[in-house]
Amino acid sequence: MKHQYKPLALLSLMFFMVGALFCMNDILLPSLITHFKLNYTQATMIQFTFYLTYILFPIPIAWMIHNKGYKISLLVALFTCAVGAAFFWPAKLFESYPLVLTAIFIISTGLTIINVAANPFASLLGDPEGAHQRINFVQVFSRVGYAVTPAVATTLIYNQMGEIRFHFPYLLIAAFLLMIALLF
């Protein structure tokens, strides 16, 4: 067994979405400042909310991975990210910045699980001497997702009439994450 290609392909798609979701905060910020008329302190809550999960959840996530395994933990992560992305719909519907922050927090929780579980899982998908190659391969897709997201997401957020649809790219992301979870 050299490499298990189907799970590696799914991990690559997952890492592509991780890169896209990390980049979305940078793209989202200017549109939310305009849409909700945020001051600087309110705007910085996006990054604070996003990175708060890295402080709060490492131990519970490690417990989950230890007790449920990598695959179940990654499925939980995908569903968590999808729920967070879908949460942008009620945030737009109710014009609620606190709901946006809640959505970001939920997404970040899923991303934290992925960041803890995905690399060790990739290392197990083949011979031990090829583990570093598999980890590097799937990690490349995170950078690709980060690189292509600004062009795609910006055109999805701002329509031709200049309206801000900050929820729209997240609904597409939620659908894509659910598709990856189903394939997993």
Side-chain angles (χ1 to χ4, degrees), residues 28 31-32 34-36 84-101 103 156-157 159 162-171:
L28 187 63
S31 65
L32 291 182
T34 302
H35 187 77
F36 290 109
F87 228 80
F88 275 87
W89 175 255
K92 176 67 173 166
L93 189 65
F94 296 115
E95 294 295 327
S96 171
Y97 185 60
L99 284 178
V100 168
L101 294 177
L156 294 173
I157 289 175
N159 68 9
E163 294 173 314
I164 297 173
R165 305 172 303 169
F166 64 84
H167 66 293
F168 189 63
Y170 284 97
L171 295 177

Side-chain angles (χ1 to χ4, degrees), residues 141-162:
F141 287 89
S142 178
R143 298 293 99 204
V144 172
Y146 198 94
V148 300
T149 298
V152 175
T154 303
T155 60
L156 294 173
I157 289 175
Y158 300 100
N159 68 9
Q160 293 175 344
M161 298 185 312

Side-chain angles (χ1 to χ4, degrees), residues 64-133:
M64 179 180 64
I65 293 168
H66 177 74
N67 289 302
K68 302 298 180 189
Y70 293 117
K71 186 175 178 183
I72 296 297
S73 298
L74 290 172
L75 284 170
V76 167
L78 287 168
F79 282 117
T80 302
C81 287
V83 167
F87 228 80
F88 275 87
W89 175 255
K92 176 67 173 166
L93 189 65
F94 296 115
E95 294 295 327
S96 171
Y97 185 60
L99 284 178
V100 168
L101 294 177
T102 302
I104 290 170
F105 184 80
I106 295 168
I107 288 170
S108 180
T109 302
L111 290 176
T112 304
I113 298 168
I114 291 171
N115 283 325
V116 174
N119 285 339
F121 184 64
S123 71
L124 296 174
L125 296 175
D127 295 330
E129 61 271 359
H132 65 285
Q133 293 171 332

Side-chain angles (χ1 to χ4, degrees), residues 7-16 74 118 121-122 125 138 184:
L8 282 173
L10 290 174
L11 275 178
S12 298
L13 285 173
M14 187 184 308
F15 271 105
F16 179 86
L74 290 172
F121 184 64
L125 296 175
V138 297
F184 224 85

